[in-house]
Amino acid sequence: MVTSRRSERRKAVAHAVAASWAHAVSSARAFAPLLVLVVASAASCRGGCASRGGEAALPVELLRRVQSPADATPVAVDIGDERDVFLVAGARGPVQLWSEVGAGAAEATLPAGGLLLAARFAAGGSVFLAQQEGEVRLLRPSDGSAELSHAFGTIGRRAAISADAAYIAFGGAVLDRGTGAEVGERKPLATQSALSFASHAPRVVSAGFQEPWVNVRDLPGGATREWLAPGKVTAAALSSDGALVAAALQDGTLCLWRQPGGEPVGSWQGHEELRALSFGERDESLIAADPEGVFVSDVAARRERWRDDIDGTLWVFAVDGNLAAAGTTDGSVWLWDLSQQKRLAQLRLSSSAIVAVDISARRQRVLAADETGAAAIWGWH
Amino acid sequence: MSSASAIATIQAFASRSGNAAFPNLGLSRALFAQALIDRIRLPNLMDQGSASLCGPAVFLFAVLRKNPNVFAKYVIDLYETGQGKIGGLVVSPGIDCRSYRPAATAIAAVDWVALASLRDSSNLFSDYQTHTNEAAGITLPGTLAGWFSAAGFSQVENRTNLVFDSDLLTLLKAGQLYTSGAYVCLFIGANLLSGQPSGDAFPDHWVALTSAVQIDGAPTTHLISLGEKLKYDNAVAGKPVSFNVYTWGDASRSVTKYRAGLKVKNLLSYFYGYVAAK
């Protein structure tokens, strides 16, 4: 399962001060010694590689390791923004919330109710769950009660929640939580390959693979603009201000369109089999990952400016601010500083495939889960 | 055979243990079993996703509806032994296909096992080993008809043309077969459904017919009696046509989704015939 990070929520929580590193460290004494890093000297680089900025060595410490129930293959992980808690969701549940400190049982265990498409914290601390069968819920972690429960009444492949939790997108529909009504006409796409909100603008993008359309919806009005992409779309993203739409095509082409006009801005060759696509900080770059590594493209110049290949096969990828994390099929977790264009660390969770990963720049945490249900959270400062 | 017996078969599978012949599916036996039960209950959940596996999808969609227990055993045997069987159709995917790790966002693990195994096993010269293989995923009409015959379906009929688009009479016969209870697979240009321009409407996609064919909002039975004269009937050619198909995980996909008011003559430029069986 590919899990693409969304930096929007983290960016939105601009006021917060980073959680106390000292507290985290002191609370994690029971755990393994400093795990570390690795780096630039071992890094490979191809095509458009810029200055690496010297060697990097990030002291990363294991904070906690947990185990999901047997048969609960994880499908999503999320680092809490508002307190020292993290989420590990099995494909059909349970959704477990763990404290970063201590060694006790999960703080909360929430039922999934079906095959999960999304599981993450939402603004305000509730937990957002979306099921393939069309039901979405916002649950209070304290007692598992529902703040919101809504049935879209259709099967879906993708679900998302806006940074302020005001809107929920499912398949081709968008729900306005304020009114309890859907916004505009539904626009379902076969083999939907992307569904995401702009982090700082009321806009959502959807794209399809077999139906290679890009659909942009303005909120709260619900007006949509849609156009055929020049190929099957494997991933798409909106810039934080919603002014640009990026899409990756099956053949590796990256395309940009301006909003709300929809005029094409340009395209350039990227890489095939993209795992994730998102805009970088200040929307000046596009960050993407494929099975062999991570690459950054310059939006203005419309060309790739840096790439770092890794050992093993990249399977899941997450971006937050200037930081990115990837999980590989051999159980490794890789960290990068994208602004410095350098690799920060390589961690090992296990020898099993990493199936979910998350990173928080503000909280300085990386979280990963493998297919056996083992999960670990690391921190640094 | 009932869905209940298929579900009992799957539950027995879930209670067993043992390694999968597909070692990199990335999910537990229990989750695999649950996904299989989901497809018994709702066959259109079977979805080729972003893989070029439309031929296996329409064939197995028919198997799944005709005999869910056979479908369940086929998938379970593939999972446990690496070889599955549907009637006399023996499916033995190669090691590359079995070793592949399908991303859930591309194709569900259970669909990879069911669909890609059939495609890979049937390929003489090329392996189907990743969801991005396009050329190796193409199913020719003779192959599809052969699967139906080997699997024990009756009255297998292949009325396709790889070079020229087909005619209205062929489409109406396909509709007639559907209403008589046959499983009907239409060979079309995928652009008909994706909304892309018709310029390159070569035959590249299989769909399963899931409704009667209607012309001008009415049944077409009376038109079939016109026979070959239909080819020269410009009035009928200019009338709107509609019907639903199973494709891309949707069992009731209308051919008019992106083509409101689709006319018979326009539809026919995407239509290359059918394979049907009972």
Side-chain angles (χ1 to χ4, degrees):
Chain A
M1 174 63 74
V2 176
T3 309
S4 177
R5 239 280 13 125
R6 61 309 137 174
S7 55
E8 67 270 19
R9 178 159 49 88
R10 302 259 151 67
K11 290 176 183 172
V13 188
H15 67 278
V17 177
S20 162
W21 172 251
H23 171 67
V25 170
S26 63
S27 305
R29 285 194 183 111
F31 297 98
L34 213 60
L35 290 175
V36 182
L37 63 183
V38 172
V39 197
S41 57
S44 59
C45 184
R46 79 181 191 205
C49 180
S51 164
R52 202 176 284 283
E55 291 198 354
L58 185 70
V60 179
E61 183 170 11
L62 178 66
L63 301 179
R64 186 162 191 194
R65 187 182 171 98
V66 300
Q67 181 66 43
S68 296
D71 293 334
T73 308
V75 70
V77 295
D78 196 20
I79 301 164
D81 278 334
E82 297 170 12
R83 60 193 183 96
D84 298 347
V85 66
F86 61 95
L87 174 155
V88 181
R92 290 178 185 267
V95 179
Q96 294 188 299
L97 275 52
W98 300 88
S99 169
E100 288 180 6
V101 296
E107 273 192 8
T109 298
L110 307 171
L115 185 64
L116 285 173
L117 299 178
R120 56 172 283 189
F121 292 108
S126 56
V127 174
F128 170 64
L129 301 179
Q131 295 170 223
Q132 176 187 245
E133 296 82 359
E135 186 178 356
V136 295
R137 290 175 292 159
L138 277 168
L139 301 179
R140 297 180 186 89
S142 54
D143 59 2
S145 61
E147 259 178 56
L148 168 88
S149 181
H150 180 83
F152 283 92
T154 185
I155 301 290
R157 292 175 64 94
R158 300 263 173 184
I161 187 166
S162 61
D164 58 3
Y167 299 97
I168 292 171
F170 184 91
V174 177
L175 174 72
D176 182 337
R177 284 186 63 204
T179 64
E182 288 189 23
V183 180
E185 183 189 354
R186 288 188 178 190
K187 295 284 185 180
L189 290 170
T191 323
Q192 187 176 30
S193 53
L195 181 62
S196 65
F197 288 90
S199 57
H200 291 122
R203 194 165 278 168
V204 60
V205 65
S206 168
F209 183 86
Q210 300 289 9
E211 288 179 341
W213 291 77
V214 179
N215 178 292
V216 175
R217 187 187 299 268
D218 293 335
L219 303 168
T224 60
R225 295 170 295 285
E226 57 187 350
W227 62 92
L228 269 170
K232 295 180 175 181
V233 180
T234 57
L238 276 166
S239 58
S240 64
D241 61 1
L244 286 174
V245 176
L249 308 184
Q250 183 183 28
D251 66 1
T253 304
L254 292 166
C255 305
L256 284 174
W257 295 270
R258 203 175 307 284
Q259 289 298 303
E263 60 272 23
V265 175
S267 64
W268 65 101
Q269 189 61 40
H271 301 270
E272 297 179 12
E273 293 192 62
L274 233 59
R275 298 294 195 221
L277 176 72
S278 63
F279 279 86
E281 281 214 313
R282 297 184 299 282
D283 298 330
E284 292 170 350
S285 59
L286 265 182
I287 300 153
D290 61 44
E292 296 177 349
V294 58
F295 62 99
V296 177
S297 298
D298 189 285
V299 167
R302 293 186 291 284
R303 63 175 175 81
E304 186 174 314
R305 72 171 182 227
W306 179 73
R307 178 178 175 94
D308 188 23
D309 284 354
I310 62 170
D311 301 327
T313 302
L314 188 151
W315 193 244
V316 286
F317 187 69
V319 176
D320 187 30
N322 287 322
L323 299 182
T328 67
T329 56
D330 63 1
S332 292
V333 178
W334 299 70
L335 267 61
W336 292 270
D337 182 328
L338 300 171
S339 63
Q340 303 281 322
Q341 300 185 346
K342 65 185 172 191
R343 196 183 290 180
L344 295 177
Q346 182 188 354
L347 312 167
R348 177 158 289 277
L349 172 61
S350 67
S351 58
S352 298
I354 305 294
V355 291
V357 68
D358 188 28
I359 189 166
S360 170
R362 185 182 68 78
R363 296 208 54 238
Q364 299 177 317
R365 298 284 190 274
V366 62
L367 169 64
D370 74 16
E371 62 188 4
T372 72
I377 186 164
W378 294 267
W380 66 92
H381 73 292
Chain B
M1 297 290 281
S2 71
S3 296
S5 88
I7 290 171
T9 300
I10 298 166
Q11 287 168 336
F13 157 73
S15 67
R16 295 192 291 270
S17 58
N19 293 331
F22 291 72
N24 295 317
L25 293 178
L27 78 174
S28 65
R29 176 183 281 247
L31 289 171
F32 186 89
Q34 188 57 53
L36 190 48
I37 289 172
D38 288 348
R39 280 147 183 78
I40 299 297
R41 290 182 172 143
L42 197 58
N44 64 279
L45 278 179
M46 184 170 63
D47 185 354
Q48 69 182 89
S50 54
S52 53
L53 290 168
C54 53
V58 294
F59 168 69
L60 290 169
F61 187 61
V63 174
L64 185 46
R65 288 177 296 156
K66 182 182 174 78
N67 195 329
N69 202 37
V70 166
F71 177 81
K73 284 180 175 169
Y74 160 71
V75 178
I76 288 168
D77 287 347
L78 280 167
Y79 182 97
E80 292 188 319
T81 71
Q83 180 171 295
K85 210 170 116 178
I86 303 169
L89 176 63
V90 177
V91 175
S92 301
I95 184 67
D96 289 339
C97 178
R98 287 190 286 113
S99 300
Y100 184 61
R101 177 180 294 277
T105 47
I107 183 171
V110 67
D111 296 334
W112 176 260
V113 171
L115 304 177
S117 293
L118 175 58
R119 181 64 274 160
D120 186 67
S121 181
S122 303
N123 283 2
L124 289 177
F125 304 111
S126 56
D127 287 342
Y128 192 82
Q129 55 199 38
T130 85
H131 79 272
T132 56
N133 282 157
E134 292 224 3
I138 292 169
T139 300
L140 295 174
T143 303
L144 181 59
W147 290 343
F148 276 113
S149 297
F153 284 74
S154 63
Q155 301 175 48
V156 178
E157 191 178 341
N158 176 2
R159 285 178 61 109
T160 53
N161 189 324
L162 292 175
V163 180
F164 303 107
D165 48 331
S166 196
D167 57 32
L168 177 57
L169 187 58
T170 304
L171 176 65
L172 297 185
K173 284 183 176 172
Q176 187 179 44
L177 282 166
Y178 170 79
T179 52
S180 73
Y183 300 97
V184 181
C185 306
L186 306 181
F187 200 26
I188 64 168
N191 288 357
L192 170 66
L193 300 174
S194 66
Q196 291 172 292
S198 59
D200 53 350
F202 52 86
D204 60 356
H205 191 48
W206 288 101
V207 297
L209 191 59
T210 56
S211 80
V213 175
Q214 292 202 319
I215 292 179
D216 213 9
T220 57
T221 316
H222 65 290
L223 289 173
I224 292 179
S225 61
L226 295 174
E228 294 295 315
K229 290 179 187 169
L230 276 172
K231 288 183 181 174
Y232 312 103
D233 191 328
N234 289 330
V236 174
K239 289 182 176 173
V241 61
S242 63
F243 54 88
N244 292 341
V245 298
Y246 157 78
T247 187
W248 302 324
D250 184 351
S252 54
R253 170 58 190 269
S254 170
V255 294
T256 61
K257 177 178 176 181
Y258 290 113
R259 301 183 190 279
L262 177 68
K263 291 184 170 59
V264 168
K265 61 185 176 189
N266 299 124
L267 170 79
L268 292 179
S269 66
Y270 298 92
F271 176 60
Y272 290 82
Y274 66 84
V275 169
K278 280 195 172 175

